[in-house]
Amino acid sequence: MVDIALDPNMYYLTMSTADTLRKAAELGFRHVELSPNNEFHLWHHYPKADTTFIEELTKAQKDTGVTVRTLNPVFNWSSPDEAERQAQVRNWRRLLELADALDVRDIVSEFSGDRNRASRSEQQWYKSMEELTPVFERYGIRLNMEAHPYDFVELHDRALELVRSIDKDWIGYEYCCPHTFHLSDGVGDAGRMIRTAADAGKLREVHVSDGFNHRINDGNRYIVNPPGADVTVHQHNAIGLGEVPWDDVFQTLRDVAFDGVVSVCIFGWHEKADEYNKAALARLTEELGA
């Protein structure tokens, strides 16, 4: 059985973080994964949550029965700039303290860094991991890593190698469905990637939304100006609004008996947020159980 969580990203502009738990309950979810927002942990910034915020979130959990299952912070802890890296490690320390206060025991995050200085960024990531390992272990919190577009590592196989190299039971891997074509450089072999992570004993979480293959049709699925600009465009669409091979994804997850967290992370469709999130919950419940 999997835990299906809602990433309430599309509701942050219209309600408090605590109220997104009430929205999740209204939609039928029992868990949330809190992605970056201003109230809690914004991208690359020191977390702004205080004791009152934690109390309000704890009350919302009790009132709704919806649990904060995971957090998804993004801190540039692989920055080639050492002062920036140290600041981001400080952000991590505070985030882990807050996670412990909420009794959140699973966190998913990204490698970050600079893909144009990949070797230096990899060195910095290992340095940050060495500094933060005692903190993760003191709190008993597991970390699940994903390769994200424009991180210093964008490919599945390389990211899994990095995760395995830490050689700690508490660090795992998160497969992000909308990044399928970035993770595979356009191949789209989701089943193989999911299976290799599972076979390594590292598959702990799956992010669910759709996206198009940026490599096909001369690379013109996305048009960026000027051509060759140093950016990576990707999408988090509703299931079916893209080219992710969902039959392969779901069959492989069943084949490997996946029993971790599945997070619905559809972004950019605020006007259809309720419709798309409810449809995703129904599909995941049908395919994977809950």
Side-chain angles (χ1 to χ4, degrees):
M1 301 292 285
V2 298
D3 288 342
I4 302 174
L6 171 69
D7 181 336
N9 170 277
M10 293 191 288
Y11 302 106
Y12 287 148
L13 291 178
T14 58
M15 62 187 74
S16 69
T17 308
D19 281 341
T20 66
L21 271 65
R22 298 179 176 93
K23 169 57 75 171
E26 173 190 319
L27 298 174
F29 288 84
R30 297 200 298 267
H31 308 282
V32 294
E33 173 173 281
L34 297 181
S35 57
N37 70 21
N38 286 307
E39 279 192 300
F40 197 171
H41 52 88
L42 191 61
W43 288 275
H44 311 305
H45 286 71
Y46 189 82
K48 299 304 187 287
D50 59 8
T51 301
T52 299
F53 175 88
I54 296 299
E55 289 173 349
E56 292 172 350
L57 210 53
T58 299
K59 183 177 185 300
Q61 290 187 89
K62 292 178 179 178
D63 290 346
T64 63
V66 173
T67 63
V68 180
R69 182 64 175 80
T70 62
L71 304 179
N72 185 8
V74 182
F75 299 130
N76 194 13
W77 54 337
S78 304
S79 172
D81 180 83
E82 178 60 14
E84 174 69 6
R85 187 200 68 80
Q86 291 179 20
Q88 299 299 324
V89 168
R90 185 183 306 118
N91 295 349
W92 263 112
R93 292 180 187 277
R94 176 56 174 161
L95 189 281
L96 291 170
E97 182 181 10
L98 294 166
D100 182 63
L102 288 168
D103 197 26
V104 173
R105 296 293 164 230
D106 284 276
I107 290 177
V108 60
S109 194
E110 302 169 8
F111 287 96
S112 295
D114 182 349
R115 72 174 179 186
N116 297 308
R117 300 183 64 187
S119 178
R120 171 62 174 167
S121 295
E122 180 178 313
Q123 296 167 17
Q124 294 289 80
W125 182 71
Y126 279 115
K127 187 173 184 178
S128 295
M129 284 298 302
E130 287 176 358
E131 293 178 9
L132 289 167
T133 285
V135 188
F136 276 98
E137 293 181 346
R138 182 171 72 247
Y139 287 125
I141 293 175
R142 299 198 308 180
L143 172 65
N144 303 317
M145 294 297 302
E146 71 164 284
H148 194 278
Y150 208 82
D151 282 2
F152 76 84
V153 53
E154 295 179 288
L155 299 176
H156 162 83
D157 294 314
R158 182 60 174 159
L160 185 58
E161 288 174 358
L162 289 169
V163 166
R164 296 183 67 176
S165 73
I166 299 297
D167 204 20
K168 297 283 188 181
D169 289 341
W170 52 265
I171 183 168
Y173 184 80
E174 180 262 306
Y175 183 76
C176 192
C177 292
H179 302 163
T180 289
F181 302 105
H182 293 282
L183 292 168
S184 61
D185 198 24
V187 176
D189 53 346
R192 181 196 69 83
M193 292 187 285
I194 290 169
R195 190 175 297 279
T196 56
D199 288 349
K202 291 299 184 181
L203 186 64
R204 307 274 173 77
E205 181 165 347
V206 175
H207 279 177
V208 171
S209 55
D210 215 330
F212 290 102
N213 188 344
H214 62 294
R215 287 295 191 192
I216 65 174
N217 294 344
D218 299 321
N220 283 330
R221 286 289 194 190
Y222 310 123
I223 298 174
V224 177
N225 290 99
D230 188 23
V231 299
T232 302
V233 178
H234 69 288
Q235 296 169 310
H236 283 243
N237 295 338
I239 295 175
L241 295 180
E243 295 165 316
V244 172
W246 290 106
D247 289 344
D248 195 19
V249 168
F250 292 131
Q251 186 60 56
T252 306
L253 290 173
R254 290 192 293 267
D255 288 346
V256 301
F258 179 68
D259 62 356
V261 179
V262 181
S263 175
V264 176
C265 57
I266 302 167
F267 303 154
W269 297 89
H270 296 55
E271 69 279 11
K272 296 185 176 181
D274 288 4
E275 174 189 345
Y276 285 169
N277 285 326
K278 285 194 291 186
L281 176 60
R283 179 73 181 274
L284 291 171
T285 301
E286 177 186 356
E287 298 279 2
L288 302 173

